[in-house]
């Protein structure tokens, strides 16, 4: 359902420490930088010059060869080492400088084209905007300020690693241009489990930008799935952009991220449903104002509805509920109108004309939120995927993971699912 993949454009709200003014534009990306070793330590460790004359056959003293005067510079490339091979394609370049504020770093490919990147003058690093091409030679030029006896520039070259054969795909449940409810979590999935030691770095490389700004966090649902939710419901009619930058990123056991992705989506109006088992009524608020009160029938004692906050995950105007596969004796096969799934275990909001006489008075369903045919149609015409519904007062509590249960726990509890 709207799954994104690597065909999306290449590109939470990370809290970065305060930088000087000239670093503000780079802060969001640098917060997600992978500070990896360059993977480039294969050079000869012996000195580049080994002075000393040849021994004389007659035992005479060897003539001394003067040591060449080294070329001094106020800047230097620290990593990758000069002419390093197999450098990880997303590695930052580390340099030294006697005058960081007046130092620039340029990286060019084999054609001489400049590569886009972000310069962090505090950390003295340059990080590529996206993963470099595999198996490609690049040249680094660092220009600083010359001083007496020292020049102000240096160059160095390195070659990136070959294209990896073991990759992990990243996909987004949501796609560009979708409009979702205020309770919609951002859902990212991986084609292979991400080892725990790499999850914090993965989170740093998943940047969420909301307009207007809103506080939120990622939380791991499983080794292959991570969700993002704001502290409170999304602000109505806001815009959300998120970027996952994992192309070329090491993810353990010789696996690397296959690609980057970006998603632009819209949050709709606030539409919040609250159901009380005590009153057998659903209260519907739109943008904070009560717009409808609807009689309901919830699950009977043998098949109670879950108490907790759930999210509309799927909508089907007409469908058939078939439980005969799991319960051949007591199962049923029933046509259903205006079904809106809220749990994986099979709880829905839906029209139930057969229970209209019980709605508002008695619970007779198999765990679903029964409403009348008219109210089922009314709700169905107004809800979005991602709209929240909270049920209270039933015999059973909503189990974690039985649906998109991100809102069924407090924000502080959800933050504990993060590895940052």
């Amino acid at each position: 359902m709207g799954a994104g993949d690597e065909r999306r454009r290449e590109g939470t709200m990370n809290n970065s420490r305060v930088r000087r003014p000239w670093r503000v534009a780079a802060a969001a990306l640098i917060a997600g930088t992978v500070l990896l070793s360059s993977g480039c330590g294969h050079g000869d460790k012996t000195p580049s010059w080994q002075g000393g004359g040849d021994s004389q056959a007659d035992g005479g003293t060897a003539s001394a060869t003067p040591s060449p005067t080294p070329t001094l510079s106020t800047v230097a490339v620290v990593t990758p080492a000069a002419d390093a091979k197999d450098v990880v394609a997303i590695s930052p370049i580390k340099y030294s400088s006697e005058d960081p504020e007046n130092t620039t770093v340029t990286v060019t490919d084999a054609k001489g084209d400049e590569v886009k990147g972000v310069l962090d003058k505090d950390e003295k690093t340059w990080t590529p905007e996206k993963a470099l091409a595999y198996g490609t030679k690049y040249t680094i030029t660092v220009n600083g300020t010359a001083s007496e006896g020292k020049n102000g520039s240096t160059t160095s070259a390195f070659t990136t690693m070959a294209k990896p054969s073991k990759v992990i795909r990243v996909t987004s449940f949501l796609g560009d241009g979708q409009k979702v409810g205020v309770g919609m979590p951002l859902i990212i999935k991986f084609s292979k489990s991400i080892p725990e030691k790499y999850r914090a770095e993965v989170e740093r490389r998943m940047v969420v930008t909301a307009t207007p700004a809103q506080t939120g966090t990622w939380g791991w649902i499983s080794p292959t799935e991570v969700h993002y939710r704001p502290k409170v419901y999304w602000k109505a009619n806001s815009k959300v952009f998120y970027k996952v930058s994992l192309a070329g990123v090491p993810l353990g056991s010789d696996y690397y991220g296959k690609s980057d992705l970006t998603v632009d989506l819209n949050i709709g109006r606030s539409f919040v449903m609250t159901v009380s088992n005590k009153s057998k009524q659903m209260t519907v608020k739109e943008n904070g104002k009560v717009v409808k009160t609807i009689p309901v029938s919830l699950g009977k004692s043998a098949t109670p509805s879950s108490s907790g906050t759930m999210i509309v995950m799927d909508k089907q105007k007409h469908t058939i509920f078939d439980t005969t596969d799991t319960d051949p004796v007591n199962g049923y096969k029933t046509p259903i109108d205006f079904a809106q799934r809220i749990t994986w275990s099979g709880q829905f909001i839906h029209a139930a004309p057969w229970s209209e006489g019980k709605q508002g008075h008695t619970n007779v369903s198999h765990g679903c939120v029964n409403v009348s045919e008219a109210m089922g149609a009314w709700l169905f015409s107004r809800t979005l995927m991602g709209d929240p519904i909270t049920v209270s007062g039933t015999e059973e509590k909503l189990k974690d993971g039985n649906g998109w249960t991100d809102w069924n726990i407090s924000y502080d509890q959800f933050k504990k699912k993060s590895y940052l």
Side-chain angles (χ1 to χ4, degrees):
M1 292 183 43
D5 54 27
E6 62 271 20
R7 62 187 176 82
R8 302 200 181 281
R9 304 190 308 276
E10 297 187 341
T12 263
M13 291 167 256
N14 288 332
N15 293 320
S16 302
R17 60 189 177 86
V18 177
R19 304 290 195 186
R20 289 196 289 272
W22 40 259
R23 289 200 54 224
V24 171
L29 179 56
I30 294 303
T33 300
V34 179
L35 296 178
L36 303 166
S37 63
S38 66
C40 54
H42 302 300
D44 188 351
K45 295 182 180 180
T46 58
S48 59
W49 176 81
Q50 300 178 27
D54 295 330
S55 299
Q56 302 298 310
D58 59 1
T61 303
S63 60
T65 301
S67 172
T69 301
T71 300
L72 300 177
S73 176
T74 60
V75 294
V77 176
V78 178
T79 57
D83 300 317
K85 311 292 183 184
D86 299 323
V87 175
V88 173
I90 200 65
S91 293
I93 289 166
K94 182 76 175 176
Y95 64 93
S96 63
S97 173
E98 295 179 6
D99 185 12
E101 291 195 29
N102 294 306
T103 298
T104 61
V105 178
T106 302
V107 178
T108 54
D109 60 20
K111 297 179 181 179
D113 294 331
E114 186 174 345
V115 177
K116 291 182 179 180
V118 178
L119 183 64
D120 185 334
K121 294 187 176 184
D122 280 349
E123 299 294 335
K124 300 186 185 67
T125 58
W126 179 95
T127 305
E129 189 176 89
K130 61 181 182 179
L132 301 175
Y134 292 117
T136 301
K137 184 176 181 179
Y138 290 89
T139 300
I140 309 163
T141 301
V142 184
N143 288 312
T145 304
S147 63
E148 185 176 356
K150 299 180 181 180
N151 64 39
S153 65
T154 188
T155 61
S156 183
F158 67 94
T159 303
T160 54
M161 62 182 285
K163 185 176 181 179
S165 59
K166 298 164 67 176
V167 294
I168 295 177
R169 295 179 63 241
V170 56
T171 57
S172 169
F173 179 80
L174 299 172
D176 282 336
Q178 278 189 263
K179 179 180 285 189
V180 294
V182 295
M184 185 70 207
L186 310 182
I187 301 173
I188 296 296
K189 294 186 177 182
F190 307 98
S191 61
K192 186 180 184 300
S193 296
I194 304 296
E196 286 194 67
K197 65 181 292 186
Y198 293 92
R199 291 178 195 172
E201 203 55 66
V202 168
E203 283 187 54
R204 291 188 184 99
R205 303 189 67 81
M206 299 193 299
V207 179
V208 178
T209 304
T211 307
Q214 295 159 68
T215 300
T217 184
W218 292 101
W220 289 78
I221 307 305
S222 75
T224 60
E225 184 171 339
V226 60
H227 290 191
Y228 183 97
R229 58 155 279 194
K231 187 172 184 178
V232 295
Y233 292 147
W234 295 106
K235 293 180 181 179
N237 305 310
S238 56
K239 295 183 180 300
V240 177
F241 170 81
Y242 52 105
K243 179 177 183 179
V244 181
S245 302
L246 289 182
V249 175
L251 297 174
S253 302
D254 295 325
Y255 278 90
Y256 293 81
K258 182 176 181 180
S259 61
D260 300 338
L261 68 81
T262 64
V263 177
D264 266 306
L265 57 86
N266 301 301
I267 306 299
R269 76 290 168 268
S270 174
F271 193 91
V272 178
M273 296 164 282
T274 305
V275 177
S276 166
N277 184 39
K278 183 177 181 180
S279 66
K280 306 292 190 292
Q281 300 288 320
M282 173 192 288
T283 302
V284 181
K285 289 185 177 182
E286 186 166 347
N287 295 325
K289 180 182 178 180
V290 175
V291 294
K292 189 75 71 175
T293 300
I294 303 172
V296 301
S297 179
L298 300 176
K300 57 183 182 286
S301 58
T303 54
S305 301
S306 295
S307 284
T309 298
M310 294 154 276
I311 301 295
V312 173
M313 301 188 293
D314 183 31
K315 298 175 63 174
Q316 299 178 63
K317 190 172 183 179
H318 304 293
T319 188
I320 294 176
F321 286 0
D322 185 353
T323 65
T324 56
D325 286 344
T326 56
D327 188 355
V329 176
N330 298 309
Y332 56 89
K333 186 181 292 186
T334 306
I336 298 291
D337 293 335
F338 310 117
Q340 303 187 60
R341 179 184 285 275
I342 56 176
T343 72
W344 298 127
S345 62
Q347 295 179 38
F348 290 74
I349 307 166
H350 68 82
W354 56 86
S355 70
E356 289 186 10
K358 303 292 186 180
Q359 293 165 18
H361 307 288
T362 307
N363 290 336
V364 296
S365 84
H366 289 82
C368 293
V369 179
N370 285 182
V371 297
S372 69
E373 190 77 13
M375 288 298 95
W378 185 88
L379 282 170
F380 195 90
S381 69
R382 286 162 174 78
T383 56
L384 295 170
M385 181 175 66
D387 283 337
I389 174 172
T390 299
V391 177
S392 64
T394 66
E395 302 92 329
E396 185 172 281
K397 289 184 178 181
L398 178 65
K399 293 181 174 60
D400 188 36
N402 186 16
W404 297 334
T405 55
D406 308 68
W407 296 99
N408 199 48
I409 56 177
S410 70
Y411 182 67
D412 287 340
Q413 289 174 309
F414 188 80
K415 282 200 300 184
K416 292 179 181 179
K417 296 175 180 285
S418 168
Y419 279 76
L420 292 179

